[in-house]
């Protein structure tokens, strides 16, 4: 293959990639499953655990399952998972759904992570107390603490 | 999920308490108007929340693929707001996109959606807006892309495209109809969730099929006015969600997988859907989940 041909090939590939803007997104998706980055996998697992706890709480709160006695347990599980959030973004663990911006704005990320710790602790306290109005408010606040971070620092869901 | 809304409804009026003794020439009902303003999502766009602007005084920058639209002041200031408008002028603006001077608005103002609003609802909205404290804040000019024509061209555009037309057969049950009213008109969901044609008009044959990501990964990216597929397609849309899932999402922002994803929908939930009655959220869910998969 001649040098010229190689350049042409690269050029046409670049054009193709530009035309089909979805191609880079698909590739990025594959990169998420980088099994060597165990810190990113751990981060993902903890986040999934929080999501699962939120899901369980929602089912109880909307009476889709009759388990009012397990509300406090699930809220506590959520708060325990969330308590390690500030440690989830160590240097060198870039990858997965986490956008590179996280490592450029570490101070802001630390604050946001602490908000998640505090908000989920407050949710656990509200669930323990059994005050429905307070619980609803605390659930929303805990969700806000997730959203606040995901909006800026998490890659788009596929 | 009744208990989840405890305290939230109060926020509808609690955030912007109408000024006492405000005069109003309108035939509208102020209390109904307060709720309709919420369901219309007016505050989200007409408030410069990034700079702690006064609610409804405008100045919010909508960074769209067509350039930056700066929203206007809709407090009742007579010079810089809409305090001098008659009921007829308000109706023409809201439902036909016509300014009091006869010129046509850009459809960044979702009048092609609001066109389907009941006249009394529109007048109720005006009645409530009239009770706000007037704020003197002149409107800023839009900063549009070179390929966007001047406002003169919008008269032609309006004849061609406004209001949005929906070809499907409406269902007759009140819940579906209420949902359609909230989604298509008052809540103008399609303005972000329905793709647009080359002229910037909604492609209603692909209603709610999504218009791209509105993720603000990069602050400079023009993403306002875009949103994901919320048709009942099981893979690309929300067809795998139950009605309970969707109602809970509209109230709390949580997706069925337990994730809270953020983006502009956060604002829509906080300013609009979380503050609706459970019945209205149910109606929205009923309408959305009965949309065809696209």
């Amino acid at each position: 293959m001649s040098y010229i041909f190689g350049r042409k090939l690269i050029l046409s590939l670049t054009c193709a990639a530009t035309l089909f803007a979805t191609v880079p997104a698909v590739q990025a998706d594959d990169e998420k499953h980088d099994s060597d980055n165990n810190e990113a996998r751990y981060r993902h697992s903890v986040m999934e655990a929080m999501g699962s706890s939120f899901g369980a709480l929602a089912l109880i709160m909307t009476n889709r399952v009759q388990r009012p006695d397990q509300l406090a347990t699930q809220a506590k599980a959520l708060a325990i998972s969330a308590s390690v959030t500030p440690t989830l973004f160590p240097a060198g663990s870039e990858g997965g759904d986490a956008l590179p911006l996280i490592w450029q704005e570490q101070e802001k990320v630390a604050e946001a992570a602490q908000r998640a710790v505090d908000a989920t602790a407050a949710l656990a306290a509200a669930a323990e107390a059994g005050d429905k109005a307070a619980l609803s408010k605390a659930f929303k606040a805990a969700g806000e603490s997730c959203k606040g971070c995901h909006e800026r620092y998490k890659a788009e869901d596929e | 999920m009744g208990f989840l809304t405890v305290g939230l409804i109060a926020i509808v009026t609690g955030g912007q308490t109408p000024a006492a003794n405000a005069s109003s020439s309108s035939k509208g009902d102020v209390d109904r108007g307060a709720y309709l303003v919420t369901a219309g999502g007016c505050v989200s766009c007409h408030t410069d929340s990034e700079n702690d602007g006064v609610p409804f005084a405008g100045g919010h920058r909508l960074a769209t693929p067509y350039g930056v639209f700066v929203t206007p002041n809709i407090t009742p200031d007579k010079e810089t707001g809409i305090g001098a408008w008659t009921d007829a002028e308000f109706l023409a603006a809201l439902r036909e996109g016509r300014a009091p001077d006869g010129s046509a608005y850009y459809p960044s103002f979702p009048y092609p959606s609001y066109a389907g609003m009941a006249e009394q609802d529109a007048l109720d909205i005006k009645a409530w807006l009239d009770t706000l404290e007037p704020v003197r804040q002149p409107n800023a000019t839009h900063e549009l892309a070179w390929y966007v024509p001047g406002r003169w061209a919008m008269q032609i555009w309006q004849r061609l495209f406004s209001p949005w037309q929906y070809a499907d057969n409406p269902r007759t049950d009140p819940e579906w109809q209420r949902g359609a009213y909230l989604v298509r008109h008052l809540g103008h969901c399609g303005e972000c969730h329905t793709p647009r044609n080359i002229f910037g008009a909604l492609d209603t044959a692909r209603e709610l099929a999504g218009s791209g990501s509105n993720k603000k990964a990069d602050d400079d990216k023009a993403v306002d006015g875009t949103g994901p597929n919320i048709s009942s397609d099981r893979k690309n849309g929300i067809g795998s969600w139950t009605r309970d899932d969707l109602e809970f999402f509209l109230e709390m922002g949580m997706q069925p997988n337990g994730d809270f994803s953020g983006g502009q929908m956060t604002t829509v939930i906080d300013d609009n859907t979380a503050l609706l009655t459970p019945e209205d959220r149910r109606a929205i869910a009923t309408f959305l989940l009965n949309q065809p998969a696209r």
Side-chain angles (χ1 to χ4, degrees), chain B residues 190-209:
Chain B
E191 299 287 343
C192 288
H193 290 288
T194 298
R196 289 174 192 271
N197 68 18
I198 191 172
F199 301 107
L202 294 196
D203 178 5
T204 54
R206 305 198 60 232
E207 186 181 10
L208 306 177

Side-chain angles (χ1 to χ4, degrees), chain A residues 104-127:
Chain A
Q104 291 158 28
E105 300 185 347
Q106 293 202 29
E107 217 165 287
K108 279 169 83 174
V109 170
E111 280 171 28
Q114 190 55 44
R115 271 199 295 279
V117 176
D118 297 342
T120 51
L123 175 59

Side-chain angles (χ1 to χ4, degrees), chain B residues 109-125:
Chain B
F109 176 37
Y111 55 83
S113 289
Y114 289 155
M117 200 187 293
E119 181 169 313
Q120 189 57 53
D121 284 357
L123 292 176
D124 292 347
I125 285 173

Side-chain angles (χ1 to χ4, degrees), chain B residues 205-217:
Chain B
R206 305 198 60 232
E207 186 181 10
L208 306 177
S211 65
S213 164
N214 66 11
K215 199 77 179 191
K216 286 206 167 171

Side-chain angles (χ1 to χ4, degrees), chain A residues 4-16:
Chain A
I4 298 292
F5 182 68
R7 267 180 47 156
K8 268 191 182 162
L9 184 65
I10 288 165
L11 188 67
S12 53
L13 282 177
T14 310
C15 289

